[in-house]
């Protein structure tokens, strides 16, 4: 397992651990076909791994930066921003409370998670909150 | 605020109820019948089309278009004034509550108003193209 796949797995754990109100986590390579998911599965988080960049330090040792996009899908009626605020706060708190993605065993997976941007999107009745994340970790290239 | 759902028939019943509650309308019907059978001014509601967008597996956003036909009779020179008053009355009746009092209806709006352009004098007819937005599970 690479650090990136460990991190994605752990993100799924973080987002399904109470008190967060996410009902389903999906890892995908592209935009989801939402017609296969039901209302009871929302709020749903889609995790899309993106660019991975090694910044070489010494020999084959590198500081890796991995981009991940989280898209939270949720149903909401017009003019009600309560859910958007609640979900944004929950995700921020979940990441802020575990910025190294440490596992139950207490082993940190990454050095730090940075939230680069948070963007609301979507249209009635299915809205989205898009989190662009950057994960940093140091690792020998063979084990990254 | 949670998301609510409905179906077409309760929406149709509510729309009929809103227009039927306008005391000035002497006859309201959900289908066209020969005008001679009605008192003026009157309204009938034509089902035009549904545009359905699947949002989730069990959530469909429906934009239902109906044609609200308002008809008046005025053999004086104030036919257009009479017709305009009834058009306004119909629009105002819908604007009072755009949910039509149905949980699951999110908007009701009149998109277009067409008339018979005076050709049917002493009758006057207006057609209000109206779009109702609701969510359904079916």
């Amino acid at each position: 397992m690479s650090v990136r796949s460990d991190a994605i797995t752990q993100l799924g754990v973080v987002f399904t651990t109470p008190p967060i109100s996410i009902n389903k986590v999906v890892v995908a390579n592209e935009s989801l076909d939402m017609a296969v998911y039901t209302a009871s599965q929302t709020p749903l988080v889609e995790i899309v791994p993106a660019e991975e960049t090694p910044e070489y330090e010494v020999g084959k040792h590198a500081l890796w930066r991995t981009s991940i996009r989280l898209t939270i899908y949720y149903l909401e009626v017009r003019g009600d921003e309560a859910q958007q605020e609640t979900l944004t706060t929950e995700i921020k708190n979940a990441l802020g409370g575990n910025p190294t993605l440490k596992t139950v065993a207490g082993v940190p997976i990454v050095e730090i998670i940075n939230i680069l941007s948070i963007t609301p999107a979507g249209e009635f009745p299915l809205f989205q909150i898009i989190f662009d994340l950057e994960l940093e970790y140091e690792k020998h290239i063979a084990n990254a | 605020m949670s998301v609510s759902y409905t179906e077409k028939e309760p929406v149709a019943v509510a729309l009929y109820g809103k227009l039927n509650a306008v005391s000035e309308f002497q006859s309201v019907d959900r289908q066209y019948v020969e005008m001679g059978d009605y008192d003026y001014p009157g309204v009938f509601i034509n089902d035009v089309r549904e545009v359905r967008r699947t949002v989730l597996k069990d959530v469909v956003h429906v934009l239902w278009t109906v044609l609200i036909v308002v008809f008046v009779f005025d053999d004086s020179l104030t036919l257009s004034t009479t017709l305009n008053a009834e058009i306004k009355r119909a629009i105002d009746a819908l604007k009072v509550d755009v949910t039509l009092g149905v949980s699951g209806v999110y908007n009701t709006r009149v998109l277009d108003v067409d008339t018979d352009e005076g050709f049917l004098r002493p009758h006057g007819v207006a057609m209000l193209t109206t779009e109702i937005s609701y969510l359904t599970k079916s």
Side-chain angles (χ1 to χ4, degrees), chain A residues 54-67:
Chain A
E55 295 175 8
Y56 290 91
E57 293 177 331
V58 181
K60 291 181 178 177
H61 191 82
L63 172 67
W64 291 79
R65 295 183 198 277
T66 298
S67 302

Side-chain angles (χ1 to χ4, degrees), chain B residues 64-76:
Chain B
W64 180 32
T65 303
V66 296
L67 196 62
I68 297 173
V69 181
V70 177
F71 52 92
V72 300
F73 182 89
D74 187 344
D75 56 2
S76 73

Side-chain angles (χ1 to χ4, degrees), chain A residues 37-126:
Chain A
Y37 299 99
T38 62
S40 62
Q41 292 176 309
T42 62
L44 177 152
V45 172
E46 177 192 17
I47 301 176
V48 180
E51 194 176 60
E52 196 169 22
T53 313
E55 295 175 8
Y56 290 91
E57 293 177 331
V58 181
K60 291 181 178 177
H61 191 82
L63 172 67
W64 291 79
R65 295 183 198 277
T66 298
S67 302
I68 287 182
R69 170 166 283 193
L70 301 179
T71 306
I72 295 98
Y73 295 88
Y74 63 102
L75 284 170
E76 189 171 83
V77 296
R78 257 186 218 109
D80 178 11
E81 295 178 346
Q83 261 208 96
Q84 182 187 329
E85 288 305 311
T86 302
L87 288 166
T88 302
T89 303
E90 285 182 356
I91 297 289
K92 281 181 185 171
N93 287 344
L95 296 174
N98 190 356
T100 61
L101 290 179
K102 64 175 182 289
T103 61
V104 176
V107 181
I109 296 174
V110 297
E111 297 287 332
I112 191 74
I113 294 179
N114 295 315
I115 298 175
L116 301 181
S117 65
I118 303 171
T119 312
E123 60 177 320
F124 172 81
L126 190 66

